[in-house]
Structures are given as structure tokens and as C-alpha cells.
Amino acid sequence: MSQSHKEQTPYISMVSLNLLNSLGADQDSACKHGLCFRDGQRKVDYILAYTYKKSSGSRTPSRKSLHSNSLHMSRNSKDGHHLPGGTGDVEFAETEPKMDYHEDDKRFRREEYEGNLMETGLELEKDDETKMHGVGFVKIHAPWNVLCREAEFMKLKMPTKKVYHLNQNQGLMQKLGSVLQKITEPIQPKVASHRPHTVKHLSYPFSREKQHMFDMSDKESFFDSKTRSSIVYEILKRTTCTKAKYSMGITSLLANGVYSAAYPLHDGDYENDAEPNDRKLLCDEWASYGVFYKYQPVDLVRKYFGEKIALYFAWLGVYTQMLIPASIVGIIVFLYGCATVDEDIPSMEMCDQRNNLTMCPLCDKTCNYWKISSACATARASHLFDNPATVFFSVFMALWAATFMEHWKRRQMRLNYRWDLTGFEEEEGTVKDHPRAEYEAKVLQKSLKKERRCKEKHQPVPEDNTNKWRQRVKTAMAGVKLTEKEKLTWRDRVPAYVTNMVSIVFMIGLTFAIVFGVIVYRVSTAAALAMSSNPSARANVRVTVTATAVIINLVVILILDEVYGCIARWLTQIEVPKTDKTFEERLIFKAFLLKFVNAYTPIFYVAFFKGRFVGRPGDYVYIFGSFRMEECAPGGCLMELCIQLSIIMLGKQLIQNNLFEIGIPKLKKLIRYLKSRRQTYMDHEEHMKRKQRYELDYDLEPFAGLTPEYMEMIIQFGFVTLFVASFPLAPLFALLNNIIEIRLDAKKFVTELRRPVAVRAKDIGIWYNILRGIGKLSVIINAFVISFTSDFIPRLVYLYMYSPDGTMHGFLNNTLAYFNVSDFKPGTAPNIDQDIGYPVEICRYKDYREAPWSENKYDITKEFWAVLAARLAFVIVFQNLVMFMSDFVDWIIPDIPKDISEQIHREKVLMVEVFLKEEQGKLQMLETWKEHHDKKKVENCNNQSPSRSRCNTGSTTSAYSHRVDV
């Protein structure tokens, strides 16, 4: 196409416009509605979207009218001009009346960047006049030679022609495997890749010199869409533009608003009438609530989204699967508590009306004496969770956590073998991580400050620092980034580190302050309700205070979770990590620390601090003047801990994990739809056009990473393991939540989010270490919960040391101390009119103290020290025993399955054999050719006049040239 034709102003009459619109359907079908270039052949591997301002007075030409002017970019276009037929003409023409230097600067940067992309071999095609008002798109296609070049550079493992049979089980194991396969057939997804394979292609890092070794029977699908998009993204990160006087890659261009989005395309639509594609298959067999009982097609997920996302869903599937036995055992423990509640002697004694035990007031002046039988319901409910089976369940869950980690390691190893990632750790270091845009900007800022400082001192700038603009531009254009000459040191990050430390300490202190505020609320509300004239309010003081305080805690946790997530991201950004991997790890650490403290601090308070520092009647501990510290219920604090844990856990799962994940994306989608509809309402022609694939994907929510997905599951894992001694039903509720969570996340990835760039990964990264840390911590916390929060140890001590008849009869009376009401401090005794029907001289309270008539009244008894020693001994024995059993499980279960290690070894042997055969074939072919050439040379020398020495020279040269060709 001639340059003069490109520069013509598009003019279309109404007749030609109608004609082109009538042909629009054919054009859309030819380009497969945006999945291909307009020629219908070249696939769109990546999309760059940008926004530009349109003049309000001019009518925009139809996209169809520019079809003749739209031409893919050839590699000869190295002058930096705009793309032919693209937005360069329209944009410039529309912005010419109103000079907008900021928009012109963005346009110039785009033109240079796109020209540099074409120099790398990529093919580009522009589309301005879309249904989306003021948004232009650049379609990118990677031809075959570019794909081969980058695949070799990235060391992508591709299947070779060599096929070998996988080792199959023999005898009894084979029969069991076939039976298990038939049983699980109904819960297997209807996906071809999920079926068991008996053969496997030998994989090897791609090499252009060895193309004949690879299985290229279907050249079109040799590089699938996931691989093509990841290759293009690697080129986008590596390519820079320098019109801003420093190098800018795609991340910097996105951060500076030069491009508004960059994303690969989904394979197509996912509705019922859509053409068959991987996205539709995933929607039907994975992202549907109707298939909640089926296994996940993780191989298809990996094929479509990449290894990193597939590993997350594989881990979530293994975690959910392992929750099934934990839920069953938890239900059995709960049912055991229900079945033995009528046989629990301490709760029966508490409910016995004949035990006329008068308890001391729960607050000063306004609270009256009360009978121990009024706490009957609390005591019976506590037995459901505080019984001998609870100890067994705590040991079981500690071993369960260790088994889960080992099972996941083995599952991960199988996936690595199946996905050809077994040698990935050696290869991942060869491809250098690209610096983040913020890091490059910070380095530039540091370089400019150094240059300004040198100018102020009137000193010549050292040549090594590359601080001159001209030299910097030359360096950037030569492919050497400024970040390789100048780096950020720890001194540059000291202000950020100090800000991080101070902010984290402040936010942890804020969490503690809020928990303390809730404690004050509980104390003051309990005192206010005790003064109420309503008898029902006075009777239900403890229930009312506990329920409202837990709801307040839940609301605060939900709000602070969102706040802390944003603050953690901001704190990580001001640190300016160099690479995305470092940024993600630091963000995960900060977010987990803050959310861990936020979620578990109220539970820690109830488990280990409530009721521990209250004092005794006549000598209570006060906060804020007349408010006493909280006491535990007569049945202990374990029941309240169970209520606190269950409400926070279920509330977070229901509100944060489900309602927020469903409602917020739907709300954002509705807002975007209303906004685009309002923009296109004035142009009926644009409104009636069918949107292309890249336009539909532009409307989707951008992918924000897997950190939020992992975080909510890790916090749930903490609820399941850390305090499971107080709530055996936690695994059951986690299982029910995860069944919904898997399909909810799948639906979000398939239908609500733009397609993320495929990222290779061989494990779940730092999350595995966090899981192991929580598993180790859970052993310690459960030991302390059983020992100090429940009555398990005091009951054992009484049964074997103080029981007169070897039974639990008299345990309740043994745990209650005596107090003479005449020893109340002045002004603290009850002064209310109601009485309990008889004069009170002695009241009881829960503690191990001497009676008022003894020589050392109100002193701690020897029984207290015996119980404390037993508690500490139990913690030590329980912790070491369970840790030893967990380590034994870790040792006895190998990380790599035996069959997988054998297959990996077999692959290495087969690969050596393949290369040996190839080299032998080359040598034989070379020898055959040499013999044939020598024979032909002798015949030519006998028939012709040239000298023998001349013939020998030619033979040697020819042999050398052939050897080079081979």
C-alpha cells in the first residue's frame, strides 16, 4: 500500500457506509470475532489497549471503513511511524484542533514501542473504531520463527517424537486400580486430558537446530494459546522505548498510562450455544456448581491458565479432599459428646437443684448472689466440646496436618512430572527476572539526583555512572537498561524499612487496642444489664454480652482485613522491590502477619487470658476504676471459645469469602456495563455492532494475582488446626465452604476475569512454609487449650489424687472455694433489694484457695500447684509426643513417589539413547557421503586434466563445507 494512500483523509458516503455495514458480518466471521487478524488466518496472541481523546464535534468513521487502510506491520517499518491504517491518523486528526501535549507524548511512545515490537518479529494490527468509545486496540501475532526463537530462549520443554509406555501396576494392584477407576468414573470430569494415559511423549527443551526431533505433526497446535501468549508477554517485557529519555518496558508503559491494559485473549465464548473451545469446556466441567462432586480437570486448567494457577487449584482440591476424613472424625467426636452428656457427673452435679451452692456476685454492688444450678445449660453444652475425645481429636488433627503436607508434596511431584517441570529449578534461573516499573522509576530518580548534585558542585560526572542524557539514551537503545548501571542499596530503602516497622507495630497495637475496647464493652454492658429492671435481661446477661461482642469482633475483623490488605500493599510498594517475585513474597509476609493477628487476637484472648487475672472476692483486679476483669463461666471458658471461633470462622467464610467474591465482581461488571451503554447510547450504529473478543475481554476485571485466594484459605487452615480442640466441627464447615469456594473461584477465573498470562511454577512457593509453620504452631496451641482452657487436667488430677471413691463425684465442690461475705471491701457488697430467699453468709467462687476459717485464709492451696504442675507436664508431653509422631509421618512417607522417581530416571536414560542414536546416524551419513564423494572425485580426476593436488584440495574444502551444514 502506498504512503500517499495511507495519508488520505477517510471519506465515506452514506451509500458506501451502508454497503460496508452489510458486509460487516462476513468480516467478523472471517476474523472469528476478534480471535484472528482480519485475514482470518493469523491468531491474535496478545492485546494492547489504550485510551485516547476524541473531539466531540466530529463523527468517527466506521471501523469497517478503515479495513482497506489496516495492514499488518512488516519488519521493514523501523522508522518509528504509526501503524498503517491505525490510530495514528485518526488520533492525530482529531486532536489537532486542540493541542494536548500529554496525549501526543503517549502517542509518540506507543508508536516507537510498537515499531520496536515489529523489529523483534511480531506482527501487529490496529483497530480504533470499536464499539468502545475512545479505546483503541493493538492486536499482536507471533509468527512461527519468533515462537521457535523465544521457546529456545525460555527453555520451554516440548514433546518429542519419542513415545514410551508408562509403567503399569501388575497383579493385585492392577486389579485394584481398575476397580477404583470404575468406581470413580461418575465423579471424573468429561475431559480427554483427565483420563489415565498409558503412553507419554519424551519432552526436551526446544531447540531450532533439533526441530526434527519434536512432534510437529500438528504445527498449528504445537504452541498452544497459553504458550503463545506467555512468549509474547516475555517479548513485551523485554522490549523498550526511549522517547521518554529512559527505557520503558510494557510494565512502565502500563504504569504511566501509555497503555490502559495488556492481556491475552480468552479462547471464545462460554455460553451454551458457543462453539466448542477450552473455555467452554472449563465452564461446563469445572466452573459449574452442578459438578461440585467431580474432580477438577487440573490438566485442562494448566493448559488454559498455566502451571501457577493450576497448582493453586490442585492444592485447594487436595486440601478439600483431606478435609473429608477430618470432618468425619470431628462429627464422631461431637456425637460422642452428645451421647455422654447425661453421664457427665460434674455437669449433673451442677444441674442438681439439691446442691444449694450460692455463688459470689459477678460484679460489684449491682450484681446479686446466684445459684450454681442456673449455669446448668452452659455446663451441659461445654461437655459437647470438652470431653476425653477432644484430646484424641487434637492429636489426630496434628497428625492430619502432617499427613496433608506430605500428601501434597507427593501430589505436587506427580504434577511436576506430568507437566514436564521436574528440571525447572535449574532452568528458571537462566531467564532473568525483569525489573518492576516502580523500581526502574526509582533508579532513574536516584540517577537524576546524583546528576543534579554533581552539577551543583561543578564537578564532572563520572563516566561509569552513565548519567548524561545522551549517553543514557544510547545505552538504553543498545539494549542495556539503566537499572544495570545504577541500583538501589539498603541505604536508599532505610526510610521505607523504618516506615514498615513503625506501621506494622502500630497496626498490631491497634488490633490489641480494639480487642481491649471490646473487653471494656463486655464489662460495662454486663454491669448495665445486671442493673436492668427486666428479669429476662438479668437472667441472660452472659449470653447477650457474648453474642454481641462476637458480632462486633467479626465486623471489626472484616473491616480491618480490607484495610490491612491495602496497607500491606502500600508498605511493600514503598520498599520498591526489584522483581515481581520479591514483591509478591514481601507482600505475602506482611499481609499474612497483619491478617493473622487481626483474625486470631480475639480468640487468643478468650482462650488464654480471660478469667486468668480476675483476683478473688474482696481483692478483685479492676480496670478503669470500678470495672472488674471478666470471669469465665462456671463451666469454663471453652464454651465461649467455641462460640467465638465458630461465629468468626463462619462469618468470614460466608460474608468475606462468598458474598464479597460474588457480589463485588457482579457490581463492578454492572457498573462497567452501564458506563459503556451510556457511552454508546448516542451512536446507534456502534451500539448495534457485535463486540469483538478483545472488546469483551477488556470489560472483564483484570487479574490481581493469587495472593487473596491463598490468604483466605490459609486463614481458614488456621481456624481448622489452631483451635480445633475447642470446635471439632471446624473441619466440616471448612469442607462445606471449600466445595463452594472451588467452583466460585473457577467461575470467577473463567467468566469474570481477563485471561492471566501463564506463569511456570513447580510449587506453591512461600505458602508451603506458612502452612508448615501453622501446623507446628497448632500443636503448641492445642496443648495449651486442652491444658489451661478446658477442665480436662483438673478432672484427671481430682480423679487420681483427691477423689475419695475414685469417681468424679464431688469434683464441682472441690473446684469451688469459700468466701465470707463480711470480708467484702466497703461499697462492693450487693446493695440490691432482691434476695435469693435466704440470708447469705458464705458464697462460693471458682478457685483453689483456703477457706476463710483456716489459718491462712484465701491463700492458694497445694491442690492449685498440683494442678498447675500437671498442666505444664501435659503441655510438654503432648507437644513432644505429637511433634515426634508428625516427624515420623514426615519421615516414613517419601516426598517423591517411587514410580515417579523410576519414570524420571527412565526418561533420562531414554533421552541419552535418543541423542546417541542421532549422533550415530549423523556419523554414518557423513562417512557414507565422504566415501561417495571421494569415489566421485577420483573418477573426475581420471577423466579431467587438473592436477591431483588440486582435486585433493577441492575434496577437502567440500567435506568441510558439508560438515558445517550437517
Side-chain angles (χ1 to χ4, degrees):
M1 186 178 295
S2 63
Q3 185 68 24
S4 60
H5 183 67
K6 296 177 188 176
E7 295 174 354
Q8 290 177 359
T9 304
Y11 173 78
I12 303 175
S13 63
M14 292 302 295
V15 178
S16 60
L17 179 62
N18 294 332
L19 179 60
L20 286 171
N21 286 336
S22 65
L23 297 175
D26 295 334
Q27 181 183 331
D28 284 343
S29 60
C31 66
K32 299 179 182 179
H33 300 287
L35 291 174
C36 294
F37 278 17
R38 292 198 182 97
D39 56 12
Q41 300 295 325
R42 291 168 293 172
K43 297 179 181 178
V44 176
D45 299 320
Y46 220 86
I47 288 292
L48 298 178
Y50 57 91
T51 57
Y52 59 90
K53 295 181 180 179
K54 292 188 173 185
S55 64
S56 58
S58 62
R59 180 178 175 83
T60 305
S62 173
R63 177 176 57 87
K64 311 289 190 303
S65 66
L66 298 178
H67 174 53
S68 59
N69 292 334
S70 179
L71 186 67
H72 74 85
M73 304 305 285
S74 64
R75 298 183 61 182
N76 297 327
S77 302
K78 299 182 181 180
D79 54 356
H81 292 297
H82 56 78
L83 292 171
T87 55
D89 300 326
V90 179
E91 236 179 306
F92 184 75
E94 290 175 348
T95 56
E96 188 175 8
K98 181 181 178 181
M99 298 300 292
D100 192 339
Y101 296 102
H102 185 62
E103 289 296 320
D104 288 344
D105 181 59
K106 289 183 180 180
R107 180 162 57 85
F108 291 147
R109 294 186 192 181
R110 285 196 296 267
E111 289 171 358
E112 187 203 0
Y113 183 71
E114 289 159 8
N116 293 338
L117 288 179
M118 291 184 295
E119 290 182 358
T120 64
L122 297 178
E123 297 177 0
L124 278 63
E125 183 180 76
K126 276 202 173 182
D127 192 356
D128 310 318
E129 305 311 313
T130 62
K131 188 174 179 179
M132 307 189 68
H133 198 73
V135 180
F137 296 92
V138 179
K139 296 176 280 188
I140 302 176
H141 168 76
W144 175 259
N145 61 331
V146 174
L147 294 173
C148 293
R149 182 192 69 208
E150 296 299 323
E152 182 176 4
F153 173 72
M154 296 169 65
K155 297 187 181 298
L156 298 179
K157 278 191 174 181
M158 306 302 294
T160 63
K161 295 178 181 178
K162 178 66 176 177
V163 178
Y164 67 97
H165 290 271
L166 300 175
N167 293 335
Q168 300 294 322
N169 296 323
Q170 301 295 331
L172 180 62
M173 295 302 296
Q174 183 180 8
K175 294 180 180 179
L176 290 176
S178 60
V179 171
L180 184 63
Q181 183 179 347
K182 291 180 181 178
I183 294 175
T184 59
E185 184 67 26
I187 61 176
Q188 300 289 347
K190 296 178 182 179
V191 179
S193 60
H194 198 78
R195 296 167 186 166
H197 298 285
T198 57
V199 296
K200 186 177 186 293
H201 282 272
L202 193 64
S203 296
Y204 186 74
F206 186 80
S207 174
R208 286 174 289 180
E209 296 180 356
K210 298 180 176 62
Q211 287 192 34
H212 58 280
M213 292 176 52
F214 295 94
D215 182 20
M216 295 187 181
S217 54
D218 187 2
K219 202 171 180 180
E220 290 294 325
S221 61
F222 183 72
F223 294 107
D224 55 15
S225 59
K226 176 254 305 181
T227 306
R228 298 174 70 96
S229 62
S230 61
I231 288 175
V232 174
Y233 182 65
E234 192 67 27
I235 298 175
L236 291 176
K237 289 195 298 182
R238 193 172 65 239
T239 307
T240 60
C241 68
T242 57
K243 282 196 175 178
K245 297 184 180 179
Y246 69 99
S247 58
M248 295 181 67
I250 185 60
T251 54
S252 299
L253 294 172
L254 288 170
N256 287 274
V258 179
Y259 290 102
S260 58
Y263 52 91
L265 291 180
H266 281 290
D267 279 358
D269 294 328
Y270 58 87
E271 286 84 6
N272 294 327
D273 56 347
E275 296 180 1
N277 56 71
D278 287 342
R279 188 188 187 193
K280 184 180 184 326
L281 187 59
L282 282 173
C283 187
D284 295 338
E285 294 296 327
W286 181 50
S288 174
Y289 295 109
V291 294
F292 72 92
Y293 59 92
K294 290 187 178 183
Y295 287 105
Q296 298 182 87
V298 289
D299 290 325
L300 185 59
V301 175
R302 176 249 180 180
K303 178 186 175 184
Y304 195 78
F305 291 110
E307 287 81 3
K308 190 171 184 179
I309 293 176
L311 279 174
Y312 162 72
F313 282 103
W315 172 82
L316 184 56
V318 170
Y319 171 47
T320 305
Q321 189 178 4
M322 288 293 293
L323 283 172
I324 296 175
S327 303
I328 294 174
V329 177
I331 292 173
I332 293 174
V333 171
F334 178 74
L335 293 178
Y336 171 81
C338 295
T340 59
V341 66
D342 293 330
E343 302 174 4
D344 183 49
I345 295 176
S347 61
M348 291 172 60
E349 290 180 348
M350 190 175 292
C351 295
D352 191 356
Q353 297 290 340
R354 294 173 295 179
N355 290 333
N356 191 17
L357 299 178
T358 304
M359 304 298 294
C360 296
L362 296 177
C363 62
D364 294 341
K365 294 190 292 185
T366 57
C367 296
N368 198 5
Y369 303 103
W370 55 285
K371 291 185 178 182
I372 190 67
S373 58
S374 63
C376 173
T378 305
R380 290 174 63 85
S382 297
H383 179 74
L384 302 179
F385 306 100
D386 187 5
N387 53 68
T390 304
V391 181
F392 160 76
F393 190 59
S394 299
V395 177
F396 171 82
M397 287 303 295
L399 298 179
W400 173 88
T403 307
F404 162 61
M405 300 304 296
E406 294 304 311
H407 179 44
W408 166 244
K409 282 196 291 187
R410 291 169 63 86
R411 171 67 171 163
Q412 185 175 260
M413 196 63 207
R414 289 188 180 276
L415 293 176
N416 286 339
Y417 168 71
R418 193 193 306 171
W419 297 344
D420 298 318
L421 294 171
T422 50
F424 180 62
E425 61 273 6
E426 291 86 6
E427 298 165 10
E428 62 184 355
T430 59
V431 180
K432 186 178 179 181
D433 289 333
H434 299 279
R436 299 175 62 249
E438 292 80 0
Y439 181 84
E440 292 181 342
K442 192 74 173 180
V443 168
L444 176 68
Q445 186 179 0
K446 178 182 177 181
S447 178
L448 294 176
K449 285 183 179 179
K450 187 178 293 186
E451 178 182 316
R452 194 179 305 113
R453 198 179 303 118
C454 292
K455 286 183 178 179
E456 290 175 356
K457 293 180 180 180
H458 302 287
Q459 296 178 356
V461 182
E463 293 294 327
D464 294 337
N465 293 334
T466 323
N467 285 322
K468 294 181 179 179
W469 281 119
R470 188 173 180 182
Q471 193 169 356
R472 185 181 300 117
V473 173
K474 289 182 179 180
T475 304
M477 294 186 68
V480 181
K481 289 192 174 182
L482 183 64
T483 51
E484 296 179 4
K485 293 291 183 182
E486 195 76 53
K487 294 182 180 180
L488 295 182
T489 62
W490 65 270
R491 293 180 180 177
D492 300 319
R493 293 191 171 100
V494 165
Y497 290 152
V498 173
T499 304
N500 271 260
M501 189 175 299
V502 172
S503 300
I504 290 175
V505 171
F506 170 77
M507 286 181 285
I508 292 176
L510 176 64
T511 304
F512 290 160
I514 291 175
V515 172
F516 185 74
V518 175
I519 295 171
V520 174
Y521 162 80
R522 295 165 67 111
V523 172
S524 58
T525 305
L529 290 176
M531 298 172 59
S532 174
S533 59
N534 189 352
S536 61
R538 293 196 305 269
N540 299 312
V541 169
R542 191 175 296 277
V543 176
T544 304
V545 170
T546 301
T548 55
V550 171
I551 293 175
I552 292 173
N553 274 326
L554 175 61
V555 173
V556 170
I557 287 172
L558 293 178
I559 295 174
L560 289 184
D561 255 357
E562 302 300 323
V563 174
Y564 286 169
C566 298
I567 293 177
R569 180 170 291 276
W570 173 73
L571 291 176
T572 310
Q573 287 174 347
I574 64 174
E575 283 186 17
V576 198
K578 184 174 182 180
T579 62
D580 289 330
K581 183 179 180 181
T582 309
F583 179 87
E584 186 179 13
E585 289 179 351
R586 295 185 181 184
L587 173 62
I588 288 170
F589 175 76
K590 294 181 184 65
F592 174 75
L593 177 62
L594 294 175
K595 293 190 176 186
F596 182 90
V597 173
N598 181 42
Y600 299 124
T601 299
I603 303 173
F604 269 97
Y605 163 72
V606 176
F608 302 121
F609 296 98
K610 185 178 179 181
R612 308 294 175 197
F613 313 102
V614 296
R616 61 169 179 84
D619 189 20
Y620 283 116
V621 176
Y622 292 90
I623 56 172
F624 294 125
S626 60
F627 292 115
R628 279 163 40 184
M629 290 292 292
E630 284 187 290
E631 296 184 47
C632 288
C637 279
L638 194 70
M639 187 60 200
E640 188 171 344
L641 176 62
C642 174
I643 296 173
Q644 185 102 1
L645 178 63
S646 60
I647 292 179
I648 291 178
M649 177 182 175
L650 297 179
K652 275 181 64 66
Q653 291 184 166
L654 181 64
I655 299 175
Q656 191 176 43
N657 297 0
N658 293 328
L659 291 182
F660 283 5
E661 287 195 17
I662 295 174
I664 292 179
K666 294 288 186 185
L667 183 61
K668 289 182 178 179
K669 188 175 181 181
L670 178 62
I671 293 174
R672 287 194 302 268
Y673 171 75
L674 294 176
K675 185 177 179 181
S676 75
R677 186 175 180 181
R678 184 173 64 251
Q679 288 177 346
T680 58
Y681 181 75
M682 300 303 295
D683 195 337
H684 181 70
E685 175 198 343
E686 297 288 331
H687 183 68
M688 294 304 293
K689 286 191 299 188
R690 174 177 176 177
K691 283 189 175 182
Q692 303 293 310
R693 178 76 266 153
Y694 46 84
E695 297 176 86
L696 295 172
D697 287 1
Y698 184 79
D699 286 336
L700 299 178
E701 191 74 13
F703 175 64
L706 289 171
T707 300
E709 313 298 335
Y710 272 113
M711 189 66 70
E712 64 186 51
M713 289 296 105
I714 296 297
I715 296 296
Q716 184 203 83
F717 182 78
F719 283 123
V720 169
T721 55
L722 292 179
F723 299 94
V724 74
S726 63
F727 190 41
L729 296 180
L732 175 63
F733 289 108
L735 173 64
L736 298 177
N737 174 81
N738 288 4
I739 292 175
I740 302 174
E741 182 73 20
I742 290 176
R743 308 303 165 179
L744 182 64
D745 285 346
K747 195 173 186 64
K748 180 172 67 175
F749 272 85
V750 174
T751 64
E752 301 289 342
L753 298 179
R754 293 175 190 161
R755 186 175 182 178
V757 180
V759 178
R760 287 188 296 172
K762 67 186 298 290
D763 51 37
I764 60 175
I766 193 176
W767 297 110
Y768 181 81
N769 297 328
I770 293 176
L771 286 170
R772 285 188 65 88
I774 292 177
K776 299 294 184 183
L777 184 62
S778 67
V779 178
I780 303 173
I781 291 179
N782 280 304
F784 277 94
V785 168
I786 295 172
S787 181
F788 287 90
T789 308
S790 73
D791 284 336
F792 178 75
I793 299 301
R795 292 187 183 193
L796 286 181
V797 172
Y798 175 80
L799 183 64
Y800 292 105
M801 293 182 62
Y802 298 100
S803 176
D805 54 358
T807 65
M808 292 301 297
H809 288 287
F811 172 75
L812 178 64
N813 188 61
N814 178 260
T815 58
L816 298 177
Y818 295 88
F819 179 74
N820 193 333
V821 298
S822 61
D823 293 333
F824 274 122
K825 288 183 177 180
T828 60
N831 59 358
I832 56 178
D833 298 332
Q834 297 94 347
D835 55 22
I836 57 175
Y838 54 87
V840 178
E841 296 180 357
I842 299 294
C843 66
R844 309 291 295 273
Y845 62 98
K846 190 172 183 179
D847 205 347
Y848 293 100
R849 291 183 180 271
E850 298 287 351
W853 52 81
S854 65
E855 183 178 353
N856 301 316
K857 66 176 184 178
Y858 305 133
D859 285 349
I860 295 175
T861 62
K862 294 181 180 179
E863 189 174 351
F864 170 83
W865 299 111
V867 172
L868 179 61
R871 291 180 193 269
L872 296 176
F874 176 83
V875 169
I876 296 173
V877 173
F878 181 89
Q879 175 183 338
N880 287 278
L881 177 63
V882 175
M883 287 287 190
F884 170 76
M885 296 173 68
S886 301
D887 292 339
F888 179 75
V889 170
D890 192 356
W891 173 76
I892 201 173
I893 301 177
D895 294 346
I896 304 177
K898 185 178 179 181
D899 58 330
I900 296 299
S901 61
E902 292 176 354
Q903 295 283 17
I904 293 173
H905 178 70
R906 186 183 176 192
E907 277 196 3
K908 292 180 179 178
V909 173
L910 288 174
M911 186 58 66
V912 172
E913 292 178 358
V914 168
F915 279 104
L916 285 177
K917 288 181 180 180
E918 185 183 4
E919 293 301 322
Q920 289 175 0
K922 286 182 179 180
L923 289 175
Q924 290 176 1
M925 186 173 66
L926 184 60
E927 290 175 358
T928 303
W929 177 87
K930 187 176 181 182
E931 291 177 0
H932 176 73
H933 190 74
D934 289 344
K935 184 178 179 180
K936 190 174 181 181
K937 182 257 301 181
V938 172
E939 291 177 357
N940 291 337
C941 289
N942 292 334
N943 297 331
Q944 297 177 4
S945 59
S947 64
R948 189 174 185 85
S949 60
R950 194 170 181 182
C951 291
N952 289 337
T953 305
S955 175
T956 304
T957 305
S958 301
Y960 174 75
S961 63
H962 179 77
R963 195 173 291 111
V964 172
D965 293 338
V966 173

